[in-house]
Amino acid sequence: MGDYYLNLLDWSIGNILAITLGNTVYLWNASNGFSSELLTVDEENGPVTRVSWAPGGQHIAVVLNSSVVDLWDTTANQKLTTLQGGHQGRVGPLSWNNQILTTGGSDSIIINNDVRVRRLFDLIDTGSQVSSLLWSKKKRGLLSSHAAMQNQLILWKYPSMDKIAELNDDVSRVLLTAQSPNGCIVAFVGDEMLMF
C-alpha cells in the first residue's frame, strides 16, 4: 500500500471538493463546476500532505509536510491559525468532533485541539505510530489505529481520554478505518486484509 499519511482530497458538506496537488490546495464546487486556488505553500514547507473539512463546511485543516497544521477559512480565503505545540514527527490522521480537531502522528501522539480557542487540551502518548482516527457517531469516544510496533485498535473515552478497550489479537498493520452510517460497525484495512 501507499503512504497512509497522505489524504489529498476531502469533500465538504457544502459540496466543495478540496484537492491537493503538490504544494497547492484547490477547491472545486461540485454544484456549479467553479474551481479556485485556496493556497500554495513554498518548497520549504511543502508539500501539502493532508486536508480535512470541518463539519460545517467552511473551515478546512491543511497539513504540511513539515508537520504543521493550518486552519483555513475557505469563504474568506485566509488562514485563521496554525495549531502548534504538539507533534515532533509527521502529522497523519485528522478527525473532527464538532469544534475539536484531533491529530495523530508518527511520534505516537494524539492531540485534541479546540479550534474555537486555538489551543490543545489533550496530549496522549499511545506508544505506537497513529495511522487513523475516528470519532464515534454513537458514543463519546475516539478510536485510534496503530500501524507500527503495536498493531492495534484502541478505544478512548471522551473527555477523560482513558483507554477503555484495545484490540490487538490477529491485527496486522492497521492502515485505514471507516465507520458505518449507523455508527455501530468499524471496518479497517491492513496489509492485504479487510476486517470488521
Side-chain angles (χ1 to χ4, degrees):
M1 282 190 116
D3 187 345
Y4 56 86
Y5 270 25
L6 296 178
N7 183 29
L8 304 179
L9 67 148
D10 197 21
W11 213 314
S12 77
I13 194 169
N15 208 19
I16 308 291
L17 184 66
I19 305 162
T20 299
L21 298 172
N23 293 358
T24 304
V25 177
Y26 298 95
L27 303 178
W28 178 70
N29 186 320
S31 299
N32 62 21
F34 180 76
S35 64
S36 62
E37 180 182 314
L38 176 65
L39 66 104
T40 297
V41 296
D42 57 32
E43 290 297 322
E44 180 180 313
N45 293 316
V48 177
T49 58
R50 184 170 283 266
V51 290
S52 180
W53 285 100
Q58 177 180 348
H59 300 117
I60 191 168
V62 176
V63 179
L64 307 180
N65 197 36
S66 57
S67 302
V68 170
V69 181
D70 289 336
L71 188 63
W72 282 75
D73 183 331
T74 60
T75 55
N77 212 41
Q78 67 181 17
K79 183 168 75 169
L80 297 174
T81 191
T82 297
L83 303 175
Q84 300 186 44
H87 293 287
Q88 300 301 312
R90 190 170 176 197
V91 175
L94 306 174
S95 187
W96 288 92
N97 181 16
N98 299 316
Q99 75 281 356
I100 306 302
L101 174 61
T102 303
T103 61
S106 63
D107 58 1
S108 306
I109 303 294
I110 293 174
I111 298 175
N112 289 327
N113 297 276
D114 187 329
V115 298
R116 293 171 304 178
V117 294
R118 299 177 184 162
R119 69 173 181 87
L120 66 89
F121 63 94
D122 283 320
L123 195 142
I124 302 100
D125 188 347
T126 67
S128 185
Q129 182 175 351
V130 182
S131 57
S132 73
L133 296 166
L134 277 178
W135 280 100
S136 172
K137 294 178 183 177
K138 289 286 194 184
K139 305 235 183 228
R140 293 176 59 86
L142 174 71
L143 181 72
S144 63
S145 70
H146 305 271
M149 293 170 50
Q150 302 175 28
N151 299 320
Q152 61 189 345
L153 296 168
I154 301 174
L155 186 59
W156 306 89
K157 184 176 183 177
Y158 183 77
S160 68
M161 296 306 288
D162 293 327
K163 190 185 298 187
I164 56 175
E166 190 172 336
L167 173 66
N168 52 15
D169 294 334
D170 301 320
V171 175
S172 66
R173 222 166 89 92
V174 179
L175 301 177
L176 301 168
T177 53
Q179 190 171 180
S180 65
N182 67 7
C184 296
I185 299 172
V186 172
F188 57 97
V189 175
D191 292 321
E192 300 180 10
M193 70 156 193
L194 171 65
M195 296 183 74
F196 297 91

